[in-house]
């Protein structure tokens, strides 16, 4: 279980990037943080594995205050997938995936077996892809490697910052669905950031809507649809529906008389 | 003749090339060892980065020769201090000053490229390194340095080419290098030597540059084969250059020579004489008058030939003229009591500073003496070697004869004689033992008021060697054995006939032994 209590982050003078954030995410939950650009989603994620430190408040994982833990060790047991992909360009696919196990001192055979297993998990043929460099892969393939790398050391928690945002819609859907499947199979706790409500509705157990560094509403997709807390949330939750209607209209034009 | 010069150049190539490579590689490795960590720290700290880069930039603006020359007095002062404090003497001449100067010289490109490469990395990649659980050190070693490697390597390449080129300038501080070809060749108008030195240094720089370029693309393309090939290539070049040096380690006597033909010949004669007595030696040529004397005092040079008048005026600061024999005697006593230097004695000839003119011109104006010259001087141009106008002898001439020339120019000696014969200057400072005086039919002006001291060639031994009976016994036979005509002939063989100093030294030794 992940628990944030009164967390604030200032990047300097001016309005805080995140303010008095209080949030609980259950074990094995798939939580999606959604909100407009600059609402503090990435900041929240970075705070969770201590890539940045909070200005106030506490964050606990499984009841342990993370500020008391060694940040390096903490990061090795949390998977992180980046918006901009973030693979190491000078390392092969296999070497990228192997990185955290290598840092943890796994044996060579263990690592090799794990890399294979992960490539298969993210639907990349090990023989074809293992020795390639990141630049020799498509964007979707690169992000599959990013997911595999994050999963390498068998973390229980996955943090994903707009992981599929830069991909074309078809690939995005496919990767999203594939990942949700992995999440369920491995029993992970996932916090995924997006600004795409369709993606949020399709993947999330729980949606956390953010604005101006704070939480506007948090609940299951159904709860948000049924009882949006204000116009902002209603507008956001309606946007997929409006698009769907426009889509339906476009696909089934009214027959000419 | 040119075949002889080429063979002579080839004969000393192993020594020159080996020394050159040893010096360049040491300076480059030391430079990288300092620059890399400094650049890594500087890339993270703005307050360090700016002064570090500014300093490296300033070093780069100092001309290479000046930087090399600067380390000599610095080390000398340091040597005096450490000798007093710990009884340890740092060599101020030769390898060490050259190494330090070149190390400084090599630092800027490595610093600049490393800092730029590390700072230019995509921040997302660095964040990714932290996110997967790397410590700052692991991030540096596994991610940042490998990604920066091609750019760093490019900096090392630039540094290598600079260092190999600039190392040719280490000859005047007493470090043998491929520059010896250039300095000696320029002095003796042996253009084959000059060309040989340029080509050798250029070829070495080119080979190393190509090998490092291979390493650079090896890093950029992650090609292990290229990296291994480059590494093997560099190792082979270095090893091949250094093999001839093995077994020629320290413990050998150092024979100094100033930067003119007579000195090259005499240092070779001394080496020959020592070799006969079973004392191995190396020669350090093209040293300045003051540097060579300080080096003898400090023991960096074990023996060389100086001139009584030079010591009298430059070191003893005497202006009186008690006569040739008295000067000789007082110089020897002063050297012994002041520094413990042993004056083995006069070799038997004088090499005086004299002012010389073209014979036709002197005749036309009826100039015989310096006093005659003084009347025409305000309408004349005078040429001197690099040292002459800052030497006390010149001050003495100016004072004694109220001598003032319209124009004063400094020349490399070879060009000075040319300038005189072409009429670019009217008077030059010449050396009385110079064979070119006869060759150019020059008129030597006499010195009725004794403004100039006598200049007997004297063989000096360092304080340490002064105690060495075997050393003394080997060199004592040279005293009084070389007369002026013999020395002039020997000098002319180098100046005009383009024979190597070593070759002429053999001829001279045979005459002495007769
Ligand atoms: N490193 C930083 N330094 C200063 N301000 C930052 C930094 N990162 C983010 N911010 C600011 O904090 C706020 C929240 O940013 P972020 O968490 O990245 O939002 P989101 O991911 O929701 O778009 C924004 O106003 C952003 O400009
Ligand atoms: Mg963001």
């Amino acid at each position: 279980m992940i628990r944030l209590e009164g967390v604030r982050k200032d990047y300097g003078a001016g309005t805080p990037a995140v303010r008095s954030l209080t949030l609980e995410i259950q074990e094995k939950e798939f939580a999606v943080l959604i909100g407009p650009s600059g609402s503090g989603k990435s900041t929240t994620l970075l705070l969770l594995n201590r890539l940045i430190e909070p200005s106030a408040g506490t964050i606990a994982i499984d009841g342990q205050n993370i500020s008391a833990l060694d940040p390096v060790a903490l990061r090795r047991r949390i998977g992180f997938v980046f918006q901009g992909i973030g693979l190491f360009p000078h390392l092969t696919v296999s070497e990228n995936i192997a990185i955290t196990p290598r840092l943890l001192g796994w044996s060579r055979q263990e690592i090799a077996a794990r890399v294979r297993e992960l490539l298969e998990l993210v639907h990349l043929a090990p023989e074809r892809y293992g020795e390639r460099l990141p630049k020799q892969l498509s964007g979707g393939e690169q992000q599959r490697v990013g997911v595999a790398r994050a999963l390498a050391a068998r973390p229980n928690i996955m943090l994903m910052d707009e992981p599929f945002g830069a991909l074309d819609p078809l690939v995005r859907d496919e990767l999203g669905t594939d990942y949700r499947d992995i999440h369920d199979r491995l029993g992970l706790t996932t916090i995924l950031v997006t600004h795409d409500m369709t993606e949020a509705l399709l993947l999330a157990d729980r949606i956390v809507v953010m604005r101006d560094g704070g939480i506007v509403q948090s609940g299951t997709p159904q709860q948000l649809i049924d009882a949006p807390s204000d116009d902002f949330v209603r507008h956001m939750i309606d946007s997929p529906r409006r698009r769907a209607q426009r889509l339906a209209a476009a696909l089934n034009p009214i027959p000419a008389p | 003749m040119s075949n002889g010069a080429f063979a002579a150049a080839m004969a000393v190539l192993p020594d020159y090339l080996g020394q050159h490579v040893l010096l360049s590689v040491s300076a480059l490795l030391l430079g990288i060892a300092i620059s890399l960590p400094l650049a890594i720290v500087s890339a993270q700290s703005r307050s360090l980065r700016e002064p570090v880069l500014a300093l490296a930039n300033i070093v780069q603006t100092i001309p290479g020769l000046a930087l090399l020359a600067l380390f000599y007095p610095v080390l000398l002062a340091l040597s005096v201090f450490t000798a007093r404090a710990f009884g340890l003497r740092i060599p101020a001449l030769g390898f060490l000053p050259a190494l330090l100067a070149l190390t400084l010289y090599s630092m800027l490109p490595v610093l600049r490229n490393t800092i730029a490469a590390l700072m230019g990395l995509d921040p997302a990649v660095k964040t990714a390194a932290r996110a997967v659980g790397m410590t700052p050190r692991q991030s540096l070693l596994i991610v940042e340095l490998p990604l920066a490697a091609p750019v760093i390597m490019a900096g090392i390449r630039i540094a290598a080419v600079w260092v190999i080129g600039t190392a040719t300038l280490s000859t005047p501080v007493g470090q043998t290098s491929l520059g010896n070809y250039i300095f000696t060749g320029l002095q003796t108008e042996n253009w084959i030597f000059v060309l040989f030195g340029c080509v050798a240094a250029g070829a070495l720089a080119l080979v190393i540059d190509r090998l490092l370029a291979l390493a650079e693309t090896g890093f950029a393309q992650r090609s292990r084969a290229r990296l291994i090939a480059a590494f093997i290539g560099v190792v082979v070049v270095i090893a091949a250059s250094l093999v001839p040096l093995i077994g020629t380690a320290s413990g050998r006597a150092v024979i100094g020579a100033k930067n003119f033909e007579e000195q090259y010949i005499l240092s070779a004669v001394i080496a020959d004489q020592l070799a006969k007595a079973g004392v191995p030696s190396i020669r350090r040529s093209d040293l300045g008058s003051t540097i060579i004397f300080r080096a003898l005092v400090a023991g960096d040079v074990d023996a060389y030939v100086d001139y009584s008048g030079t010591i009298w005026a430059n070191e003893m600061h005497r202006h009186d003229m008690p006569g040739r024999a008295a000067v000789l005697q007082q110089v020897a006593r002063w050297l012994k009591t002041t520094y413990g230097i042993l004056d083995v004695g006069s070799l038997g000839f004088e090499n005086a500073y004299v002012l010389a003119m073209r014979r036709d011109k002197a005749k036309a104006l009826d100039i015989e003496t310096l006093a005659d010259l003084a009347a025409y001087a305000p309408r004349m141009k005078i040429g001197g070697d690099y040292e002459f106008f800052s030497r006390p002898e010149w001050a003495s001439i100016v004072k004694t004869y109220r001598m003032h020339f319209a124009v004063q120019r400094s020349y490399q000696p070879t060009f000075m004689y040319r300038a005189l014969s072409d009429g670019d200057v009217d008077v030059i400072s010449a050396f009385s033992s110079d064979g070119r005086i006869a060759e150019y039919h020059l008129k030597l002006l006499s010195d009725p008021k004794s403004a100039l001291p006598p200049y007997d060639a004297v063989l000096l031994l360092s304080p340490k060697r002064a105690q060495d009976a075997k050393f003394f016994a080997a060199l004592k036979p040279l005293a009084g054995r070389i007369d002026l005509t013999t020395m002039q002939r020997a000098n002319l063989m180098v100046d005009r006939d383009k024979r190597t100093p070593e070759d002429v030294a053999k001829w001279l030794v045979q005459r002495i032994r007769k």
Side-chain angles (χ1 to χ4, degrees):
Chain A
M1 190 183 73
I2 302 170
R3 190 176 157 71
L4 294 87
E5 200 163 323
V7 171
R8 198 184 81 231
K9 176 67 190 178
D10 304 296
Y11 279 114
T15 48
V18 158
R19 66 182 97 195
S20 65
L21 207 66
T22 297
L23 176 66
E24 238 181 57
I25 288 149
Q26 302 306 319
E27 196 136 326
K28 307 201 176 169
E29 195 170 18
F30 197 125
V32 170
L33 302 186
I34 190 165
S37 180
S39 57
K41 309 180 295 292
S42 296
T43 302
T44 306
L45 225 50
L46 295 172
L47 285 164
L48 287 174
N49 71 347
R50 293 189 63 186
L51 283 170
I52 55 176
E53 300 292 339
S55 309
T58 56
I59 301 170
I61 294 178
D62 298 333
Q64 259 187 321
N65 187 335
I66 62 166
S67 68
L69 302 175
D70 170 30
V72 171
L74 175 73
R75 290 176 205 137
R76 288 177 187 175
R77 60 185 185 88
I78 297 177
F80 204 109
V81 182
F82 289 92
Q83 187 166 13
I85 301 191
L87 295 180
F88 302 119
H90 62 302
L91 300 182
T92 62
V93 165
S94 293
E95 287 167 336
N96 262 288
I97 297 173
I99 204 81
T100 306
R102 187 175 138 199
L103 296 173
L104 288 166
W106 292 19
S107 77
R108 200 181 280 267
Q109 296 91 317
E110 272 179 297
I111 292 177
R114 181 68 180 152
V115 167
R116 234 193 128 70
E117 186 185 356
L118 284 162
L119 280 170
E120 278 161 6
L121 184 72
V122 298
H123 304 307
L124 293 173
E127 295 75 21
R128 265 187 72 194
Y129 290 95
E131 297 314 308
R132 290 200 196 170
L133 288 175
K135 65 171 183 233
Q136 296 165 320
L137 304 183
S138 72
E141 288 166 342
Q142 286 184 31
Q143 202 50 292
R144 286 177 187 274
V145 176
V147 170
R149 184 179 70 182
L151 288 169
R154 299 199 176 86
N156 295 320
I157 298 171
M158 286 285 278
L159 307 177
M160 307 174 89
D161 192 352
E162 303 194 31
F164 314 129
L167 306 175
D168 67 73
L170 218 67
V171 179
R172 188 189 327 178
D173 276 2
E174 190 182 298
L175 252 72
T177 318
D178 281 0
Y179 179 73
R180 174 74 219 206
D181 183 45
I182 290 170
H183 167 92
D184 291 337
R185 271 203 284 158
L186 302 181
L188 303 168
T189 304
T190 298
I191 304 179
L192 182 144
V193 165
T194 185
H195 55 250
D196 176 359
M197 186 51 95
T198 312
E199 189 173 65
L201 289 170
L202 290 174
L203 295 178
D205 294 329
R206 185 142 67 99
I207 296 176
V208 180
V209 181
M210 293 186 69
R211 186 174 57 175
D212 298 337
I215 295 174
V216 185
Q217 188 175 9
S218 164
T220 61
Q222 201 56 52
Q223 285 170 335
L224 261 67
I225 292 168
D226 293 347
S229 65
D230 62 7
D231 284 349
F232 174 72
V233 177
R234 178 175 301 116
H235 188 77
M236 282 189 63
I237 210 96
D238 270 351
S239 92
R241 194 203 309 280
R242 284 195 308 274
R243 282 180 65 190
Q245 284 166 350
R246 289 214 309 274
L247 195 63
L251 291 175
N252 304 304
I254 299 158
Chain B
M1 176 214 89
S2 56
N3 262 341
F6 186 76
M10 285 305 288
V12 285
L13 183 64
D15 184 36
Y16 288 5
L17 180 65
Q19 302 261 13
H20 197 101
V21 168
L22 183 64
L23 175 66
S24 307
V25 169
S26 307
L28 195 61
L29 288 180
L30 191 59
I32 293 170
I34 298 169
S35 308
L36 265 188
L38 194 59
I40 289 167
V41 179
S42 300
Q44 283 148 15
S45 154
R46 191 197 174 92
S47 56
L48 190 63
R49 181 161 66 242
E50 281 168 6
V52 161
L53 280 176
L55 208 69
N57 267 313
I58 290 171
V59 166
Q60 224 58 57
T61 61
I62 303 175
L65 193 58
L67 191 65
L68 282 153
L70 272 177
F71 268 95
Y72 172 71
V74 170
L75 284 174
L76 202 63
L78 208 64
S79 178
V80 169
F81 169 75
T82 57
R84 268 197 210 129
F86 318 107
L88 188 88
R89 216 180 49 73
I90 304 171
L93 207 61
F95 190 76
L96 197 59
L99 175 72
L100 295 178
L102 292 178
T103 298
L104 271 187
Y105 230 56
S106 73
M107 285 174 60
L108 179 67
V110 181
L111 277 172
R112 202 169 45 195
N113 279 34
T114 306
I115 291 175
L118 289 176
M119 291 184 64
L121 290 179
D122 182 357
V125 173
K126 287 197 266 187
T127 309
R130 290 173 67 215
V132 298
M134 289 187 197
T135 61
R137 199 186 145 78
Q138 288 168 333
S139 169
L140 188 70
L141 294 177
I142 301 173
V143 176
E144 295 168 55
L145 284 178
L147 285 175
V151 179
I152 296 174
M153 208 54 218
I156 291 176
R157 248 175 88 191
I158 298 170
V161 171
W162 283 5
V163 164
I164 290 171
T166 313
T168 55
L169 299 176
S170 58
T171 301
V173 294
Q175 168 59 36
T176 302
S177 71
L178 292 171
N180 282 41
Y181 286 120
I182 300 166
F183 280 89
T184 307
L186 196 61
Q187 189 57 42
T188 58
E189 278 194 274
N190 185 338
W191 307 126
I192 292 185
F193 256 52
V194 174
L195 201 65
F196 198 96
C198 292
V199 169
L204 180 64
L206 199 71
V207 168
I208 294 291
D209 181 63
R210 289 292 88 205
L211 287 171
L212 295 182
L214 191 66
E216 190 183 321
T217 55
F219 278 122
Q221 298 170 10
R222 281 175 50 93
S223 158
R224 197 158 291 171
R226 277 167 194 265
L227 284 176
I228 291 172
F231 181 76
I232 291 175
V234 169
V235 167
V236 165
V237 169
I238 293 172
S241 313
L242 295 187
V243 161
L245 294 187
I246 293 169
T248 64
S250 58
R252 301 203 294 175
V254 178
I255 303 161
K258 302 188 191 188
N259 58 345
F260 48 92
E261 298 79 349
E262 179 170 300
Q263 288 274 325
Y264 303 153
I265 299 169
L266 292 175
S267 73
V269 168
I270 296 171
D272 200 89
Q273 203 68 14
L274 287 174
K276 293 241 161 52
V279 180
S281 64
I282 46 172
R283 291 158 60 207
R284 294 276 170 261
S285 301
D286 296 304
L287 305 174
S289 278
T290 310
I291 285 193
I292 199 169
F293 184 77
R294 298 279 149 239
L296 185 79
V297 171
D300 290 335
V301 162
D302 292 302
Y304 81 100
V305 173
D306 212 325
Y307 305 93
S308 58
T310 302
I311 309 262
W312 183 259
N314 278 10
E315 303 300 333
M316 297 167 69
H317 307 293
R318 297 278 295 262
H319 304 296
D320 52 323
M321 295 298 152
R324 187 170 172 182
V327 167
L328 206 52
Q329 194 192 4
Q330 288 185 37
V331 162
R333 194 183 316 132
W334 182 82
L335 287 172
K336 184 87 220 167
T337 53
T338 313
Y339 293 114
I341 290 171
L342 182 63
D343 182 344
V344 178
S346 165
L347 295 178
F349 70 94
E350 214 191 337
N351 185 4
Y353 259 122
V354 284
L355 294 194
M357 294 181 70
R358 267 164 53 175
R359 205 171 278 281
D360 52 349
K361 186 142 195 177
K363 195 160 187 180
L365 298 174
D366 199 19
I367 297 175
E368 289 280 336
T369 69
L370 293 180
D372 300 338
L373 178 66
Y376 293 97
R379 275 169 283 139
M380 285 183 159
K381 297 176 203 152
I382 183 169
D385 61 51
Y386 292 130
E387 287 186 8
F388 184 67
F389 296 114
S390 56
R391 287 179 63 118
E393 289 91 339
W394 171 239
S396 175
I397 291 176
V398 167
K399 198 166 140 223
T400 312
Y401 294 100
R402 301 182 181 285
M403 189 86 78
H404 294 287
F405 282 89
V407 176
Q408 230 170 268
R409 286 194 192 131
S410 292
Y411 290 92
Q412 196 267 335
T414 299
F415 299 126
M416 182 175 74
Y417 284 94
R418 286 277 169 78
L420 182 67
S421 88
D422 294 349
D424 293 340
V425 291
D426 306 294
V427 184
I428 60 166
S429 73
F431 293 110
S432 60
S433 66
D434 199 316
R436 284 172 291 205
I437 289 173
E439 196 197 352
Y440 285 98
H441 306 293
L442 301 186
K443 168 79 181 166
L444 301 185
L445 306 183
S446 64
D447 174 20
K449 297 187 191 168
S450 293
L452 296 170
Y455 289 89
D456 280 289
V458 287
L459 175 53
L460 306 181
L461 305 188
S462 68
K464 192 180 76 194
R465 294 295 182 179
Q467 321 285 337
D468 185 337
K470 187 177 173 192
F471 205 81
F472 177 75
L475 298 182
K476 180 67 191 161
L478 293 176
R481 294 307 306 272
I482 307 174
D483 62 30
L484 184 61
T485 331
T486 309
M487 197 66 234
Q488 279 180 339
R489 276 184 68 187
N491 286 337
L492 203 56
M493 285 180 190
V494 176
D495 285 335
R496 190 188 58 198
D497 306 339
K498 303 296 162 214
R499 291 174 61 180
T500 64
E502 293 72 20
D503 196 18
V504 175
K506 289 201 188 83
W507 171 84
L508 195 56
V509 165
Q510 272 179 358
R511 277 183 70 97
I512 293 169
R513 296 231 173 88
K514 259 186 215 154

